[in-house]
Amino acid sequence: MGQTSRGLAILGSTGSIGTSVLDVVDRLGGRFRVVALAAGSNVPLLAAQVEKYRPALVSVGNKRDVVRVRSLGKGWGLKVVHGPEGAAEAARVDGADVVVSAITGMNGFGPTLEAVKAGRRVALANKESLVVGGALIKREAVRSGAEIIPVDSEHSGVFQCLGRGRRSHVRKVILTASGGPFLKTPLEELKTKTLEEALRHPRWVMGKKVTVDSATLMNKGLELIEARWLFDLDASQLDVLIHPQSAVHALVEMTDGSVLAQLSATDMRVPIQLALTWPERLDSGLPQLDLAEVGRLEFFRVDERRYPLFTLAKQALAAGGSLPVALNAANEVAVAAFLEKRILFADIPAVVAGVMDGLQPRPADSIEAILEVDKDARRQARRHLPQR
Ligand SMILES: NC(=O)c1ccc[n+]([C@@H]2O[C@H](COP(=O)([O-])OP(=O)(O)OC[C@H]3O[C@@H](n4cnc5c(N)ncnc54)[C@H](OP(=O)(O)O)[C@@H]3O)[C@@H](O)[C@H]2O)c1
């Protein structure tokens, strides 16, 4: 990559990842120029971003906000669009060399697919895209030449360990998990854990959905499915270790017994910057890892009695087809209900298990099939929500 500035589209610019991306953009001086932003309903923050970065295109979640945002960009002919089609337009905007996909959940899938079809470098934070549409996205990436670089810290770690090495030399890929806020909670107390407690993550500050998924370990389950597609691995080659210090993000076991690890400070800006600038590694003043300060690194196997959703995710990974789509949809419905305090923490796995129970995998590698399974599973999940 030369010194010329590269165009950047940020989908989910007002979120935890999106704002970190903009911080990295600021640190990198003029290397990146923001050409498009897409967000949901946080219009005050989006407005401030529009005024600062002056993109050519902005997508807002709701039509009612279009006029307000458009009025900010009269000076440079800002185009403002809205809704899912607007986010998709931002994903394929002219002039974007890199598209950051950081909208939460299934809503990020369509725009990610658009960015891939447009042949962009996709800095992928939205793990749900590969969970529901891994086969389709990989197929489209081959067709368009799109490059998918992971933003998730664990996948960035695997990506870095694999380097340009031979895939046939990889025995196993291990993602680490902090274990979330309930790693040491007595099992019988898990039922009554509150939303506030679930949102108190010991290591990472993230959006609410992914923070709850970290407490249930569903996040790690989704990440296993994401890794299966990103690195073209079998389910049997993927594993997870609990590592409370979150300094080692991933380990790659080689056929000769060597184990490569990637370590960095617990700060998402490190993998974000790498996804933007790869193969360059730039010094933008991001925090360095001080191992003497971390002191010790611990690793444990996952206790699946504590994390039933992790078990369900592994089953969906092994079965493939429609099951990861249904798993993700059921989980999104259950987590949304928990975030609205309509159900208890222990209801989340129960709702997902209710949907997955006895479900047979069917092919889901077209957009129509994926959306159909997603819709069905959401309907089922709503039926399984307890009335409290
Ligand atoms: N945070 C992390 O450290 C982290 C790490 C690895 C992977 N990820 C993944 O990255 C993604 C984003 O996570 P996050 O923590 O940044 O979430 P977040 O803080 O909740 O932000 C989500 C972003 O998506 C936007 N959004 C939500 N629904 C939308 C819709 N229908 N249309 C357009 N924009 C929409 C939000 O806009 P408004 O706020 O304006 O409504 C916001 O900008 C998730 O898939 C997560 O799993 C996150």
Side-chain angles (χ1 to χ4, degrees):
M1 194 190 303
Q3 281 298 331
T4 51
S5 110
R6 305 194 84 203
L8 185 65
I10 307 171
L11 315 178
S13 65
T14 50
S16 166
I17 292 288
T19 51
S20 295
V21 171
L22 287 169
D23 181 79
V24 168
V25 167
D26 293 347
R27 286 166 179 275
L28 294 176
R31 277 182 180 257
F32 288 91
R33 124 194 82 78
V34 176
V35 296
L37 297 172
S41 53
N42 189 346
V43 177
L45 179 55
L46 181 64
Q49 294 175 344
V50 168
E51 288 184 319
K52 180 168 176 189
Y53 296 98
R54 299 169 72 94
L57 179 81
V58 169
S59 176
V60 290
N62 303 301
K63 194 173 178 187
R64 61 165 189 265
D65 297 318
V66 168
V67 174
R68 177 172 165 201
V69 177
R70 191 180 288 140
S71 68
L72 301 168
K74 284 208 180 97
W76 71 93
L78 170 69
K79 181 174 179 191
V80 184
V81 290
H82 70 276
E85 186 39 49
E89 194 172 335
R92 55 175 185 259
V93 65
D94 281 343
D97 301 289
V98 183
V99 178
V100 177
S101 164
I103 291 175
T104 319
M106 182 68 182
N107 288 328
F109 169 55
T112 306
L113 186 59
E114 286 302 312
V116 169
K117 281 185 175 168
R120 307 288 192 246
R121 167 177 289 197
V122 181
L124 184 67
N126 175 273
K127 59 197 86 190
E128 295 86 349
S129 289
L130 285 177
V131 169
V132 304
L136 178 61
I137 285 180
K138 289 300 289 269
R139 207 165 59 226
E140 291 296 342
V142 170
R143 194 173 296 164
S144 69
E147 200 185 7
I148 302 174
I149 314 265
V151 162
D152 240 326
S153 54
E154 297 79 0
H155 302 75
S156 177
V158 176
F159 176 78
Q160 293 176 63
C161 289
L162 290 176
R164 300 197 191 282
R166 266 197 244 157
R167 208 49 55 94
S168 61
H169 289 167
V170 174
R171 190 199 303 271
K172 203 170 217 182
V173 161
I174 299 168
L175 309 181
T176 62
S178 70
F182 306 141
L183 177 62
K184 298 207 167 128
T185 305
L187 289 181
E188 61 284 3
E189 287 175 25
L190 280 179
K191 282 197 238 14
T192 55
K193 286 294 159 194
T194 63
L195 175 61
E196 290 71 22
E197 289 170 303
L199 290 178
R200 224 171 283 140
H201 196 279
R203 295 280 163 197
W204 299 96
V205 179
M206 309 180 284
K208 287 183 180 170
K209 155 77 169 46
V210 59
T211 306
V212 172
D213 284 347
S214 297
T216 61
L217 219 66
M218 174 60 109
N219 184 48
K220 213 49 57 178
L222 297 176
E223 286 181 9
L224 283 181
I225 304 173
E226 181 187 14
R228 177 251 174 280
W229 292 108
L230 270 176
F231 307 115
D232 203 11
L233 297 162
D234 285 340
S236 62
Q237 288 178 287
L238 287 160
D239 209 349
V240 170
L241 283 175
I242 301 284
H243 168 47
Q245 292 80 17
S246 299
V248 176
H249 304 297
L251 300 136
V252 177
E253 277 180 26
M254 298 306 200
T255 41
D256 62 358
S258 282
V259 180
L260 308 184
Q262 187 269 336
L263 295 83
S264 55
T266 314
D267 189 317
M268 283 307 295
R269 293 172 301 177
V270 177
I272 286 171
Q273 180 176 300
L274 189 90
L276 299 188
T277 66
W278 179 261
E280 274 200 75
R281 290 181 180 273
L282 302 175
D283 180 359
S284 68
L286 287 174
Q288 294 288 315
L289 176 66
D290 181 344
L291 273 179
E293 197 170 291
V294 177
R296 77 197 155 130
L297 302 177
E298 299 167 293
F299 299 90
F300 312 105
R301 295 202 192 289
V302 176
D303 174 359
E304 295 195 21
R305 292 169 308 158
R306 181 176 295 282
Y307 303 111
L309 280 178
F310 180 68
T311 310
L312 282 175
K314 285 206 309 187
Q315 288 165 357
L317 164 69
S322 56
L323 290 201
V325 185
L327 174 92
N328 179 65
N331 183 58
E332 284 194 18
V333 170
V335 173
F338 178 64
L339 288 174
E340 289 165 11
K341 299 194 173 180
R342 287 192 284 129
I343 65 170
L344 302 175
F345 185 71
D347 293 332
I348 305 174
V351 170
V352 180
V355 174
M356 301 300 285
D357 193 24
L359 209 61
Q360 290 305 313
R362 46 189 164 111
D365 55 5
S366 70
I367 184 115
E368 295 75 21
I370 292 166
L371 295 179
E372 180 66 34
V373 174
D374 176 81
K375 198 166 134 200
D376 245 30
R378 281 172 202 270
R379 198 180 310 127
Q380 292 294 334
R382 281 192 287 272
R383 263 192 223 138
H384 281 92
L385 287 178
Q387 303 302 319
R388 294 197 185 277

